[in-house]
């Protein structure tokens, strides 16, 4: 009898895990419409732009990480809906929809010169939970890790700078399509 219950538990757990993974895959699937310049995801439809021969999201990503590693500026949910979420580097490297990726420094060097990029100056979140630079600067993670503790971030205010910041800082994310 105990064997039967143990087997039922395993089957039940496997079914729950499969349903969870299927839901995650569906939540990560988005549909790109080049004629409408949109990326339709389950949580939001994003505007896109062709910049430097690549397809970019033209607005900041708004995805809530199930691991709890996404933030709204000032801890105000309306700020996420308006300006996008803020992510630590490790989350940023995996949060883009399937078929899209965190841009490289070279991608950003081309994109930030274009008015289609539309940098949103929403600031960032320090690793101690304090927020800074709202309406002053835009901070975006690039795909490059500098060392074990730091990664490259592009900061846009009156100029554009690429700097190395602690990976625990939460910044905005833009995604670029993985198309050749």
């Amino acid at each position: 009898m105990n064997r039967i219950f143990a087997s039922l538990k395993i089957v039940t757990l496997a079914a729950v895990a499969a349903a969870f993974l299927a839901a995650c895959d569906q939540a990560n699937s988005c549909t790109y419409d080049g004629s409408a310049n949109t990326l339709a995801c389950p949580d939001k439809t994003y505007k896109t732009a062709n910049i430097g021969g690549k397809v970019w999201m033209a607005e900041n990503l708004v995805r809530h990480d199930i691991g709890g590693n996404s933030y709204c500026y000032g801890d105000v949910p309306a700020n996420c809906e308006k300006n996008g979420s803020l992510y630590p580097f490790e989350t940023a490297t995996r949060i883009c929809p399937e078929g899209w990726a965190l841009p490289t420094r070279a991608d950003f060097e081309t994109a930030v010169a274009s008015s289609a990029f539309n940098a949103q100056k929403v600031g960032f979140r320090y690793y101690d939970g304090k927020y800074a630079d709202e309406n002053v600067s835009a901070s975006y993670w690039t795909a490059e890790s500098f060392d074990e503790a730091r990664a490259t971030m592009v900061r846009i205010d009156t100029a554009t700078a690429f700097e190395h910041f602690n990976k625990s800082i939460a910044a905005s994310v833009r995604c670029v399509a993985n198309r050749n």
Side-chain angles (χ1 to χ4, degrees):
M1 189 65 111
N2 285 340
R3 282 184 169 175
I4 294 172
F5 286 122
S7 295
L8 284 175
K9 278 184 177 179
I10 291 170
V11 170
T12 302
L13 287 173
V16 168
F20 178 74
L21 291 174
C24 287
D25 283 345
Q26 183 180 16
N28 203 35
S29 296
C30 300
T31 305
Y32 171 65
D33 182 346
S35 62
N37 287 324
T38 58
L39 178 65
C41 298
D43 48 352
K44 179 180 174 149
T45 297
Y46 298 91
K47 295 175 189 171
T48 61
N50 290 300
I51 305 170
K54 295 193 175 196
V55 179
W56 281 78
M57 292 176 68
E59 52 190 310
N60 297 346
L61 186 67
V62 181
R63 279 202 152 166
H64 301 288
D65 178 51
I66 59 171
N69 289 318
S70 59
Y71 306 94
C72 301
Y73 192 95
D75 297 323
V76 177
N79 286 336
C80 278
E81 299 309 315
K82 179 181 168 193
N83 296 315
S85 301
L86 303 172
Y87 308 93
F89 179 74
E90 295 303 326
T91 302
T93 62
R94 62 177 169 74
I95 200 80
C96 288
E98 185 178 323
W100 295 70
L102 198 59
T104 64
R105 177 182 175 150
D107 291 332
F108 272 109
E109 287 171 345
T110 301
V112 295
S114 171
S115 62
F117 182 76
N118 184 33
Q120 293 172 268
K121 295 183 176 182
V122 300
F124 62 95
R125 180 185 185 272
Y126 283 108
Y127 47 86
D128 65 0
K130 295 178 183 167
Y131 294 87
D133 287 356
E134 183 178 30
N135 298 316
V136 174
S137 68
S139 300
Y140 297 98
W141 285 119
T142 71
E144 283 92 10
S145 178
F146 180 72
D147 60 25
E148 220 173 278
R150 297 173 294 168
T152 304
M153 184 186 295
V154 59
R155 301 228 334 130
I156 306 164
D157 48 32
T158 57
T160 300
F162 292 90
E163 301 170 339
H164 304 122
F165 278 87
N166 185 300
K167 291 178 179 180
S168 297
I169 289 173
S172 297
V173 166
R174 292 284 175 98
C175 303
V176 65
N178 287 332
R179 291 180 169 75
N180 297 328

